[in-house]
Each structure stands twice: as structure tokens, then as C-alpha cells.
Amino acid sequence: MTTTLDDVHALTHAGSLLSPGGEIVAPYDLEVAHADASGFSALPADILNAGRAPFDADYAQASRVHLVNAFGVTLGDSIIGLSALSAVKRLHPHLRFTIYRPARAPRHVQRLYALAAPRLADLIDLPVPLASLPADEPKIDIGNQLFWPRFASMPMIDFFLWAMGIAPDSIAAGDKRNRWLADVPLAAIERAPYALFCPDASTPVRSIPASMRARIVARLADETGMPVLGFGAVDHPRYRDIAPLCIDTDDFLAWIGHARYLVTADTAALHIAAGFDVPTTAFFTTIPAFMRARDYTNCVAVEFALPHLQGIHASARPADLDAIERAYRDYDWRAMPFAREASLSPASR
């Protein structure tokens, strides 16, 4: 017997949903549409869900695999999910994937999937009738991963591999570095060498405080000897705001991919830089660096010791932002690390 979920539990369900009419639905689409989610239920057991019951996928015997509601609705999560998919395809080049995506996901995220699709997967928008998925092909649900307990306790690339039924340790570290991005053609942009500054993350609590940005730009310009380009206004003579020139995902990829060095608090920018082997200094406030940058050999991390903020996905609360401001203000900027060797060595706090 199928148990229906109430409105709250449906939106926070660790997986995708089945509508009363028999359609597979993304909880995100219901939330964005402010739709009533009561009466929905979990997907049936023949759609594998590692959070419900871990499994080992037999990809060698499959020709097509259906990934339901993969891999989230943010740019960073999607880059990592597609890296997991790319790693599986390297092991099993005969495989073809179909990804069923939330139709209301942000356009800049959907564009990433469109760029990846020719090589990695076919794309279909949710909702779709449950009956439209072939009964004799593997079907895996990775929906609403933010609410899976392991999403907060595993490096993200390992989480997505595990959710796809692959032992993370079976994948070489080199295959976890988003190298599939190097196959995406980059637009021609600035010809002169430049360093890049990406201070804004998806939430204020993970962003670099505005009061500290000029100091970081100065340190970056002094260290690299290059002009610094970046996203957003910074009052410094060696800095240029290129935000007006970055209007879509293609532009964002190009500006990062062509950079000689990157300083960022945005993990999406970090993941892109790793794909193009751009040396990077990354700042972490609410999540340990190893959870996002463990496999990036050309990245160094600055981690701020803020235990009361660990694990927070988003916040703009004044008390939280004050704590971030103090951490950045008290940091010894003369010790800000730069990627010199192939190692990730977070700065101690």
C-alpha cells in the first residue's frame, strides 16, 4: 500500500514524488509553483533510491539508465553530478543516460545540462507519467538530494556516485575533477592574461563580505602581477567589474576557463576552475573544504573556524553575517595561500 505524504513532508522528501494522477514530479517544481503537495507519495520500489535502500548498479549489463530528478537545481551541484555521470561513462562507454529534470530549475542551470547533453545524456523535463519509463531498464531516483542525510556528510562527488550505485573508492581521483567541462567549447573573450575574483556565493553567509573585497583584490594583484577582473563592484585601481559582460552560463564558463588564477567563495566557480585546471584559492565558511575540493590538486583553501555555522546551506541573518565579517577581518591576509603545487592544503585558523 502506498503511503501519501502531507504537504511539508512531500517537499522535504528524500527523493522524487508520484502524483495522485501517476506522474513523476520534482518537489522543487511544486515548491516554486507554490502548489499543494499533499496527496503525493514516494516513487515505487522498482525505481532505485540509495537513500531508501543502497544498491550496487550493474551498468555493464545495461544499455540505457534513467536518472530521475538528477542532479539538483544549483550550478555547483549540477557540475558535480555531471562529473559523476561522466566518470561512470568512462567505465562503461556503451551506456546512454536519460536525465529527467525539474522543469522550473533556473535557466542558467538548465543551460549547463544543454551544454553537457550531446556527450553525456538525453534530457526530459518533469513531470512525466510513471508508465512512460521502460520497465526493463534501470531507473534511479536522486531527487531532492539536499534532504538526504548523506548529502551533508560525504564529499559531493562521492555522494552522487553512491546515489548512482557506484562505490566512490572505485573511481580514481583524477576522474572526479570535472574534466568533462574541458570538452565544452569556450567563447573567445579577453586576450590579455588576468586573474579572476568571484566573491559572491549563492547565499550571503558563504560570500566574501563587501568590506574585505578590495583587500583581497590587492593581494591577488600583487601576487599574480596581473589585472584582476571580477563580478561586482570593488573599489580598487587594478580591478575591473565584468559582471555586465557575463550574461549567461556560457559566459561564466568562459571567463573562468580562460583565467590564469581564481579567488572565490563560490563553489560553482571553484568546480568550473577545477575542470579547466585553473589554479584557485577558495574560501569556506559553513562547510569543510574537503567536502567540495578534496580532489582538486590545483586548489588551496582558506577555512574559517565557525562551528556554529557549520552545515548551514543559506543565511542572511545579521548575527551570522557579523560572524563572517569578523572572521574575514581577523584573518592574516599576508598568509593568504596561493596554489603553487598539486596539493590541497587548507590554511589553519
Side-chain angles (χ1 to χ4, degrees):
M1 179 178 177
T2 301
T3 302
T4 59
L5 303 167
D6 63 36
D7 190 57
V8 173
H9 288 95
L11 295 180
T12 59
H13 172 63
S16 305
L17 298 171
L18 186 65
S19 75
E23 289 188 315
I24 298 175
V25 178
Y28 177 84
D29 284 343
L30 296 175
E31 182 177 6
V32 171
H34 304 289
D36 181 8
S38 57
F40 286 71
S41 60
L43 298 185
D46 65 326
I47 298 182
L48 300 171
N49 180 310
R52 179 177 57 206
F55 62 94
D56 295 319
D58 187 6
Y59 288 121
Q61 301 302 315
S63 58
R64 180 174 289 272
V65 177
H66 301 263
L67 299 177
V68 177
N69 204 0
F71 295 96
V73 294
T74 66
L75 194 62
D77 292 8
S78 295
I79 290 169
I80 299 301
L82 289 167
S83 293
L85 181 64
S86 179
V88 174
K89 280 187 67 70
R90 276 193 289 272
L91 289 176
H92 305 286
H94 69 284
L95 272 180
R96 190 66 189 176
F97 287 89
T98 298
I99 302 177
Y100 301 82
R101 294 279 305 150
R104 294 177 179 268
R107 290 180 59 186
H108 70 279
V109 178
Q110 298 296 59
R111 175 58 181 162
L112 179 76
Y113 286 88
L115 290 169
R119 190 171 68 89
L120 293 180
D122 300 316
L123 304 174
I124 296 177
D125 283 347
L126 293 171
V128 296
L130 174 63
S132 68
L133 273 64
D136 59 347
E137 294 178 345
K139 299 172 285 292
I140 301 172
D141 179 21
I142 315 180
N144 235 15
Q145 83 273 1
L146 188 65
F147 298 100
W148 295 38
R150 289 206 182 195
F151 187 72
S153 63
M154 299 174 72
M156 191 188 295
I157 183 67
D158 289 357
F159 169 83
F160 281 125
L161 288 166
W162 167 80
M164 294 174 66
I166 296 288
D169 290 346
S170 70
I171 302 298
D175 287 337
K176 298 179 178 181
R177 294 175 191 155
N178 316 325
R179 295 295 172 81
W180 67 270
L181 283 167
D183 294 328
V184 175
L186 292 181
I189 49 170
E190 193 87 359
R191 291 189 176 183
Y194 61 89
L196 190 64
F197 183 47
C198 300
D200 287 311
S202 58
T203 175
V205 77
R206 293 183 178 178
S207 299
I208 296 173
S211 63
M212 302 305 301
R213 296 182 182 186
R215 182 176 299 183
I216 297 173
V217 165
R219 180 81 171 85
L220 178 56
D222 288 344
E223 182 71 21
T224 65
M226 291 182 286
V228 179
L229 312 183
F231 305 109
V234 177
D235 185 13
H236 192 277
R238 287 185 284 179
Y239 176 83
R240 177 159 65 100
D241 181 10
I242 58 167
L245 305 178
C246 188
I247 61 175
D248 57 24
T249 303
D250 301 61
D251 293 333
F252 193 53
L253 292 174
W255 283 109
I256 296 172
H258 289 304
R260 299 293 181 88
Y261 201 92
L262 171 70
V263 172
T264 186
D266 177 16
T267 52
L270 167 66
H271 299 323
I272 294 167
F276 292 105
D277 203 27
V278 176
T280 300
T281 298
F283 292 87
F284 293 86
T285 54
T286 68
I287 191 167
F290 85 92
M291 294 278 284
R292 297 294 181 266
R294 179 198 61 193
D295 303 301
Y296 299 163
T297 57
N298 214 10
C299 169
V300 292
V302 175
E303 295 182 79
F304 293 106
L306 298 164
H308 62 294
L309 296 181
Q310 288 303 297
I312 292 178
H313 291 291
S315 176
R317 296 188 306 174
D320 294 343
L321 300 189
D322 286 346
I324 298 296
E325 182 94 26
R326 288 193 300 273
Y328 273 88
R329 186 184 62 231
D330 295 343
Y331 182 68
D332 181 3
W333 292 100
R334 295 169 299 180
M336 176 180 160
F338 283 79
R340 298 295 191 191
E341 301 174 353
S343 64
L344 175 69
S345 52
S348 61
R349 290 288 297 158

